[in-house]
Amino acid sequence: MSELFRKIAPVVDELGELFAARGYEIALVGGSVRDVFLGRIGNDLDLTTDARPETVLELIRDWADSIWTIGIDFGTVGARKGNWLLEITTYRSESYDPKSRKPDVAYGDTLEGDLARRDFAVNAMALRLPGREFVDPHGGLDDLHAKVLRTPGPPERSFDDDPLRMLRAARFASQLGFAVDPAAFAAMTAMAGRIEIVSAERIRDELDKLICGDQPRAGLRNLVDSGLAAHVLPELPRLRLEIDEHHRHKDVYEHTLIVLEQAVDLEEGGPDRILRWAALMHDVGKPKTRRHEAGGRVSFHHHEVVGAQLTKKRLGELRFPKDVVADVSRLVELHLRFHGYGSGEWTDSAVRRYVRDAGHLLERLHKLTRADCTTRNRRKAQALSRTYDQLEERIARLAEEEELGKIRPELDGNEIQEILGVPPGPVVGRAYKFLLDMRMDQGIVGKEGAAEALRAWAGENGLLP
């Protein structure tokens, strides 16, 4: 800890002296203090002060390298000093009106009062500056050692003040691997419906951090078991009732959590939110497509199509960026495509289409497909893995031969117009699609071969002038 604090000491001590010289208090607080004790710290520092935002701006104007005021309505001033990003927030308390989606902010006068309104005791520790006095009125350090999330005061009051804290409990379970205190979990369960007053954007941010945490399974279990998921991600608890068609898992919910974990294991270079969300949502179409077949089997025909639609709707309602919605939905739609490959029956044309349909998501589709194999039959799992290895090898070979990811017809629009003697318009578009399909089916045939085929196609369809 001492080594980590020495790293941040220069900037926070300097800031502490700056505020003290003008008669104001300031303290390092919240996650910044918690993370020092956990042996990790980034470049973002949280501080709290009795100075009002306008005064904070005045105090740091000549000290900071840059300043931003996007959060000033909530009492927060942002600043950069060297490589450090700081958020300085005036002592405050905030609560929600039952009919409002935005918190009401009231400024406080003491550090102890500010700590009392924090979400969890592990985030209610502070270090007064510049003297470095450790302040822990709610036993946060003990909770940190016990790896438990407990609210500073009664959890019902804390969650009523800001219902988003219930989601934060699940998020910290994922990020830190901590357990939620039984009293807090009971309050989450009893008050789950209160989360609906919180804006979609704030809910999205917490869910995204949860999914990208080190232990997303733990966070998701808290959401589902408390009933919160029914309000913010209802597709997930609905999976608990659906029996996996392979009868290898208790239900599709368990299967989904395993797929998510296996997808995480395949990541390279940190959390991949697109892959993780796709793994979480890949089977959400099963409840709507469940059918009981002869012999006791259960089928979920076209659940990937329905799942993609549900995914698009849910992520859209959570206000995810359009590109994220599109990518996750597309992966859900494509996640079953490999199962038509059999033991290698696909033609080169089918392989080309697989790559074309996946586009920039191909590597993620590889990982999702592999993660989706959760059979306990070791021989079957190994056979599936070998088959997918073979498919990837074929893709690599075709890519090397044809630059598969950049497949285009061998004739461009201008050449099509010249050969057919037609102006720009729908005919050129239809011809382009014909040539692209031919390229997928036959590979490279050369410009002369493509031109000959184009003329024949145009003649058959009455498109020649």
mmCIF file of all heavy atoms in Angstrom, residues 448-465:
data_model
loop_
_atom_site.group_PDB
_atom_site.id
_atom_site.type_symbol
_atom_site.label_atom_id
_atom_site.label_comp_id
_atom_site.label_asym_id
_atom_site.label_seq_id
_atom_site.Cartn_x
_atom_site.Cartn_y
_atom_site.Cartn_z
ATOM 1 N N GLU A 448 -12.328 -12.020 -68.013
ATOM 2 C CA GLU A 448 -12.986 -12.487 -69.230
ATOM 3 C C GLU A 448 -14.097 -13.475 -68.911
ATOM 4 O O GLU A 448 -15.193 -13.421 -69.477
ATOM 5 C CB GLU A 448 -11.960 -13.130 -70.171
ATOM 6 C CG GLU A 448 -10.997 -12.131 -70.785
ATOM 7 C CD GLU A 448 -10.078 -12.785 -71.796
ATOM 8 O OE1 GLU A 448 -10.293 -13.988 -72.103
ATOM 9 O OE2 GLU A 448 -9.150 -12.113 -72.279
ATOM 10 N N GLY A 449 -13.819 -14.383 -67.971
ATOM 11 C CA GLY A 449 -14.834 -15.350 -67.568
ATOM 12 C C GLY A 449 -16.012 -14.674 -66.902
ATOM 13 O O GLY A 449 -17.179 -15.048 -67.130
ATOM 14 N N ALA A 450 -15.717 -13.655 -66.067
ATOM 15 C CA ALA A 450 -16.788 -12.922 -65.384
ATOM 16 C C ALA A 450 -17.641 -12.163 -66.394
ATOM 17 O O ALA A 450 -18.874 -12.129 -66.294
ATOM 18 C CB ALA A 450 -16.201 -11.969 -64.353
ATOM 19 N N ALA A 451 -16.986 -11.555 -67.408
ATOM 20 C CA ALA A 451 -17.720 -10.794 -68.421
ATOM 21 C C ALA A 451 -18.612 -11.712 -69.244
ATOM 22 O O ALA A 451 -19.777 -11.376 -69.549
ATOM 23 C CB ALA A 451 -16.734 -10.056 -69.328
ATOM 24 N N GLU A 452 -18.091 -12.892 -69.591
ATOM 25 C CA GLU A 452 -18.879 -13.845 -70.367
ATOM 26 C C GLU A 452 -20.097 -14.305 -69.580
ATOM 27 O O GLU A 452 -21.213 -14.370 -70.105
ATOM 28 C CB GLU A 452 -18.002 -15.043 -70.729
ATOM 29 C CG GLU A 452 -18.709 -16.084 -71.600
ATOM 30 C CD GLU A 452 -17.805 -17.256 -71.951
ATOM 31 O OE1 GLU A 452 -16.570 -17.128 -71.762
ATOM 32 O OE2 GLU A 452 -18.336 -18.289 -72.408
ATOM 33 N N ALA A 453 -19.896 -14.613 -68.305
ATOM 34 C CA ALA A 453 -21.000 -15.049 -67.455
ATOM 35 C C ALA A 453 -22.023 -13.939 -67.274
ATOM 36 O O ALA A 453 -23.233 -14.181 -67.244
ATOM 37 C CB ALA A 453 -20.460 -15.502 -66.091
ATOM 38 N N LEU A 454 -21.528 -12.695 -67.186
ATOM 39 C CA LEU A 454 -22.422 -11.545 -67.016
ATOM 40 C C LEU A 454 -23.318 -11.380 -68.245
ATOM 41 O O LEU A 454 -24.525 -11.148 -68.123
ATOM 42 C CB LEU A 454 -21.605 -10.281 -66.784
ATOM 43 C CG LEU A 454 -22.396 -8.970 -66.672
ATOM 44 C CD1 LEU A 454 -23.349 -9.014 -65.487
ATOM 45 C CD2 LEU A 454 -21.439 -7.778 -66.554
ATOM 46 N N ARG A 455 -22.735 -11.496 -69.426
ATOM 47 C CA ARG A 455 -23.540 -11.354 -70.643
ATOM 48 C C ARG A 455 -24.604 -12.446 -70.731
ATOM 49 O O ARG A 455 -25.761 -12.187 -71.103
ATOM 50 C CB ARG A 455 -22.630 -11.409 -71.874
ATOM 51 C CG ARG A 455 -21.687 -10.223 -72.023
ATOM 52 C CD ARG A 455 -20.968 -10.261 -73.370
ATOM 53 N NE ARG A 455 -19.911 -9.250 -73.429
ATOM 54 C CZ ARG A 455 -18.628 -9.524 -73.165
ATOM 55 N NH1 ARG A 455 -18.257 -10.765 -72.836
ATOM 56 N NH2 ARG A 455 -17.735 -8.566 -73.245
ATOM 57 N N ALA A 456 -24.200 -13.680 -70.373
ATOM 58 C CA ALA A 456 -25.155 -14.790 -70.424
ATOM 59 C C ALA A 456 -26.290 -14.558 -69.438
ATOM 60 O O ALA A 456 -27.474 -14.758 -69.756
ATOM 61 C CB ALA A 456 -24.434 -16.104 -70.119
ATOM 62 N N TRP A 457 -25.945 -14.118 -68.239
ATOM 63 C CA TRP A 457 -26.961 -13.849 -67.201
ATOM 64 C C TRP A 457 -27.908 -12.743 -67.649
ATOM 65 O O TRP A 457 -29.130 -12.847 -67.503
ATOM 66 C CB TRP A 457 -26.262 -13.465 -65.898
ATOM 67 C CG TRP A 457 -27.183 -12.932 -64.842
ATOM 68 C CD1 TRP A 457 -27.928 -13.656 -63.970
ATOM 69 C CD2 TRP A 457 -27.459 -11.555 -64.562
ATOM 70 N NE1 TRP A 457 -28.654 -12.819 -63.156
ATOM 71 C CE2 TRP A 457 -28.392 -11.521 -63.498
ATOM 72 C CE3 TRP A 457 -27.003 -10.354 -65.107
ATOM 73 C CZ2 TRP A 457 -28.865 -10.331 -62.971
ATOM 74 C CZ3 TRP A 457 -27.486 -9.171 -64.580
ATOM 75 C CH2 TRP A 457 -28.416 -9.162 -63.525
ATOM 76 N N ALA A 458 -27.347 -11.675 -68.229
ATOM 77 C CA ALA A 458 -28.170 -10.545 -68.676
ATOM 78 C C ALA A 458 -29.110 -10.978 -69.800
ATOM 79 O O ALA A 458 -30.274 -10.557 -69.853
ATOM 80 C CB ALA A 458 -27.286 -9.402 -69.137
ATOM 81 N N GLY A 459 -28.606 -11.832 -70.713
ATOM 82 C CA GLY A 459 -29.461 -12.317 -71.793
ATOM 83 C C GLY A 459 -30.608 -13.159 -71.288
ATOM 84 O O GLY A 459 -31.764 -13.018 -71.726
ATOM 85 N N GLU A 460 -30.318 -14.046 -70.328
ATOM 86 C CA GLU A 460 -31.345 -14.914 -69.765
ATOM 87 C C GLU A 460 -32.424 -14.121 -69.047
ATOM 88 O O GLU A 460 -33.577 -14.542 -68.975
ATOM 89 C CB GLU A 460 -30.715 -15.917 -68.813
ATOM 90 C CG GLU A 460 -29.813 -16.954 -69.504
ATOM 91 C CD GLU A 460 -29.026 -17.759 -68.496
ATOM 92 O OE1 GLU A 460 -29.207 -17.527 -67.278
ATOM 93 O OE2 GLU A 460 -28.205 -18.607 -68.905
ATOM 94 N N ASN A 461 -32.047 -12.968 -68.508
ATOM 95 C CA ASN A 461 -33.002 -12.167 -67.726
ATOM 96 C C ASN A 461 -33.559 -10.989 -68.523
ATOM 97 O O ASN A 461 -34.233 -10.119 -67.942
ATOM 98 C CB ASN A 461 -32.325 -11.658 -66.452
ATOM 99 C CG ASN A 461 -32.101 -12.765 -65.421
ATOM 100 O OD1 ASN A 461 -32.982 -13.069 -64.620
ATOM 101 N ND2 ASN A 461 -30.912 -13.361 -65.457
ATOM 102 N N GLY A 462 -33.287 -10.956 -69.829
ATOM 103 C CA GLY A 462 -33.833 -9.889 -70.668
ATOM 104 C C GLY A 462 -33.364 -8.521 -70.308
ATOM 105 O O GLY A 462 -34.129 -7.543 -70.420
ATOM 106 N N LEU A 463 -32.097 -8.403 -69.895
ATOM 107 C CA LEU A 463 -31.597 -7.114 -69.430
ATOM 108 C C LEU A 463 -30.694 -6.420 -70.439
ATOM 109 O O LEU A 463 -30.234 -5.317 -70.197
ATOM 110 C CB LEU A 463 -30.806 -7.311 -68.117
ATOM 111 C CG LEU A 463 -31.632 -7.879 -66.947
ATOM 112 C CD1 LEU A 463 -30.732 -8.112 -65.754
ATOM 113 C CD2 LEU A 463 -32.740 -6.905 -66.582
ATOM 114 N N LEU A 464 -30.433 -7.067 -71.578
ATOM 115 C CA LEU A 464 -29.598 -6.419 -72.582
ATOM 116 C C LEU A 464 -30.442 -5.426 -73.379
ATOM 117 O O LEU A 464 -31.590 -5.700 -73.711
ATOM 118 C CB LEU A 464 -29.001 -7.477 -73.525
ATOM 119 C CG LEU A 464 -27.931 -8.380 -72.907
ATOM 120 C CD1 LEU A 464 -27.522 -9.453 -73.896
ATOM 121 C CD2 LEU A 464 -26.715 -7.569 -72.468
ATOM 122 N N PRO A 465 -29.870 -4.255 -73.694
ATOM 123 C CA PRO A 465 -30.621 -3.240 -74.464
ATOM 124 C C PRO A 465 -30.887 -3.703 -75.875
ATOM 125 O O PRO A 465 -30.232 -4.559 -76.412
ATOM 126 C CB PRO A 465 -29.693 -2.021 -74.418
ATOM 127 C CG PRO A 465 -28.321 -2.566 -74.183
ATOM 128 C CD PRO A 465 -28.508 -3.800 -73.362
#
